[in-house]
Amino acid sequence: MTKNCRKSFNSGKTNRELNPLRAGGYKLEEAYGTWRRRYDALNVIESALEDKIDIPADYQLGGWTGADWRDELTRLPEDLAEDIGYRILPGVLSLCDHVTATPETAKLAAGAKKQASYIVNMCEQHRSSIVRDTKRRDAKIERISSARYLVIQVLMMVEDSFAAANLPPSLR
């Protein structure tokens, strides 16, 4: 069985090796903003589906539009897995290199690879239910719910990293 999300994650890691990060949290902050917007967009989409409201084609949904969110949703597990390999995991490790070493940052760095692997596995598990297109409104809402779950996992990983590194809330 092809592990699409694992391949995407490995591709992201390989691409990052070509462009290593300097010490700091800038890529992690950038990734957090991207996935926070995706999470907010998923909430809007879910709400529109629940209330049976059509989303206009030109409506902006955090980097998506009303016209393209369905296609973007089907790519979300693989895009998320790739971003974990390209920005998120390297960003967490880079952030740990940037701040003064504490027991919390050492623990964070040690567990980051394991947590990233867990989330990529979750992407793989949820991928089939997310990519399966359906006409039923309840099934679409379930797809959105699965996608939100994946994004929440990444947001929590990043927020834990910010907290362990003692980053001020203004940078989150």
Side-chain angles (χ1 to χ4, degrees):
M1 182 165 125
T2 303
K3 302 271 186 189
N4 293 336
C5 293
R6 181 61 61 182
K7 284 173 42 179
S8 295
F9 172 71
N10 290 335
S11 172
K13 282 180 25 178
T14 300
N15 288 338
R16 176 51 63 204
E17 289 171 2
L18 300 174
N19 302 294
L21 294 180
R22 66 180 194 275
Y26 66 102
K27 281 293 180 191
L28 195 56
E29 293 164 17
E30 180 183 282
Y32 181 79
T34 298
W35 291 105
R36 183 64 211 196
R37 285 188 302 278
R38 294 294 187 271
Y39 180 75
D40 293 342
L42 291 168
N43 286 334
V44 169
I45 294 165
E46 181 179 47
S47 180
L49 289 170
E50 287 174 346
D51 295 337
K52 299 179 182 176
I53 298 170
D54 288 330
I55 300 173
D58 62 346
Y59 190 78
Q60 294 298 308
L61 293 163
W64 298 343
T65 65
D68 66 7
W69 73 263
R70 288 165 187 81
D71 292 333
E72 294 291 341
L73 180 64
T74 62
R75 289 192 300 270
L76 186 135
E78 291 173 52
D79 289 348
L80 183 60
E82 182 176 14
D83 205 26
I84 290 169
Y86 187 71
R87 288 191 304 183
I88 297 168
L89 178 58
V92 170
L93 298 175
S94 177
L95 181 65
C96 291
D97 290 343
H98 177 68
V99 298
T100 305
T102 65
E104 291 82 16
T105 57
K107 184 178 176 182
L108 174 68
K113 291 179 183 177
K114 183 177 178 180
Q115 189 173 10
S117 182
Y118 168 77
I119 296 171
V120 171
N121 288 338
M122 295 304 299
C123 287
E124 202 67 61
Q125 288 177 356
H126 287 270
R127 184 181 165 279
S128 62
S129 65
I130 292 171
V131 301
R132 185 181 11 215
D133 195 16
T134 181
K135 300 292 183 199
R136 291 187 10 248
R137 185 172 55 93
D138 290 345
K140 286 180 185 178
I141 292 171
E142 185 60 35
R143 289 174 64 207
I144 299 295
S145 178
S146 292
R148 284 180 47 220
Y149 175 77
L150 296 177
V151 175
I152 287 170
Q153 300 306 306
V154 166
L155 293 176
M156 289 190 310
M157 179 182 180
V158 174
E159 288 170 357
D160 289 349
S161 302
F162 289 154
N166 239 352
L167 275 181
S170 64
L171 295 178
R172 299 180 192 178

